[in-house]
Amino acid sequence: KPTYTHIELPHDWMIGHTKELYKNSVGFYKKEIIFSEDIFDRYIALAFEGVYMNCGVWVNNQLAGKWKYGYSNFEFDISSLVKAGKNEILVIAVYQNCNTRWYSGAGIFRDVNLINSPATHLVTDGTYFVAKKNGESENSWHIKLSTETAGNCEGFHIRYLITENNTSNPFIFDADLEPVEFDYPNPKIWDINN
């Protein structure tokens, strides 16, 4: 059974063992989270910005998910795994040598965030924006916007706000949950001054 030492995240367990760098190893992280009764009918997730390298996440002894890509962020929905009161989060990270040409570190090397939002919500990283010139003109751009949602979205709409630097007149419009396209006149084009 592993013994635990109090650490702060982000954390790299390999850096503390300079004589054994790149040795295959396993890190165990444990955290207790207490929830009140109001967690039901909500979206509860753990968002990891980076765990090196192969990891698994358990909540109250149930697997929430596995992630194999050490440099990318990921999120696990734990809504069905948590309960009111004490909840135990266990993360196991497995470091396997030789996997990079540079020092990678090992462990939860980026921040971890707890997401507690309504069941109907915008999906993390789910807003997509594409802008293309209308022909050769710099004065008009064609915009495509879409936003991923989760939960029962009946009766909801999305309010988009496009603002330019140093302006007090943002372009605001409401849209259904379907992707939208429109032309945007006279945008302030990004450059070294804007």
Side-chain angles (χ1 to χ4, degrees):
K1 188 171 183 174
T3 58
Y4 293 93
T5 302
H6 178 79
I7 55 101
E8 297 289 327
L9 294 181
H11 177 255
D12 172 7
W13 79 70
M14 192 186 316
I15 199 75
H17 304 282
T18 55
K19 294 186 179 187
E20 296 179 341
L21 287 180
Y22 308 112
K23 181 179 178 183
N24 291 346
S25 52
V26 179
F28 293 80
Y29 296 87
K30 187 166 74 168
K31 172 84 175 163
E32 186 177 274
I33 300 175
I34 299 174
F35 288 107
S36 63
E37 295 286 338
D38 65 355
I39 61 165
F40 301 106
D41 295 326
R42 296 191 61 79
Y43 175 69
I44 311 293
L46 291 171
F48 293 82
E49 293 181 14
V51 179
Y52 204 82
M53 96 188 222
N54 298 330
C55 79
V57 178
W58 285 260
V59 177
N60 296 324
N61 296 317
Q62 297 178 71
L63 180 65
K66 293 181 179 180
W67 194 255
K68 301 283 185 190
Y69 310 104
Y71 294 120
S72 59
N73 61 316
F74 59 96
E75 180 177 310
F76 292 135
D77 180 355
I78 61 170
S79 305
S80 65
L81 305 177
V82 295
K83 62 184 189 281
K86 292 181 183 178
N87 293 266
E88 183 181 87
I89 312 297
L90 176 66
V91 178
I92 300 176
V94 178
Y95 174 82
Q96 296 170 309
N97 190 36
C98 186
N99 58 66
T100 66
R101 290 181 282 170
W102 54 82
Y103 179 79
S104 63
I108 303 176
F109 70 98
R110 295 282 185 260
D111 290 337
V112 180
N113 294 291
L114 176 69
I115 299 171
N116 182 348
S117 68
T120 301
H121 61 277
L122 301 178
V123 173
T124 302
D125 298 330
T127 299
Y128 305 96
F129 178 93
V130 177
K132 293 184 180 180
K133 282 194 284 186
N134 276 331
E136 296 299 315
S137 172
E138 292 285 334
N139 295 329
S140 180
W141 286 67
H142 188 73
I143 308 294
K144 293 181 183 179
L145 288 169
S146 64
T147 303
E148 289 182 65
T149 57
N152 180 3
C153 298
E154 187 176 332
F156 283 81
H157 66 272
I158 295 178
R159 173 163 288 168
Y160 291 99
L161 179 140
I162 299 174
T163 185
E164 294 179 352
N165 193 20
N166 299 323
T167 63
S168 59
N169 287 334
F171 182 63
I172 301 173
F173 66 97
D174 293 336
D176 292 329
L177 300 179
E178 300 299 319
V180 295
E181 296 187 38
F182 58 93
D183 290 329
Y184 188 75
N186 301 313
K188 190 176 284 186
I189 305 300
W190 184 87
D191 61 25
I192 198 161
N193 297 316
N194 293 305

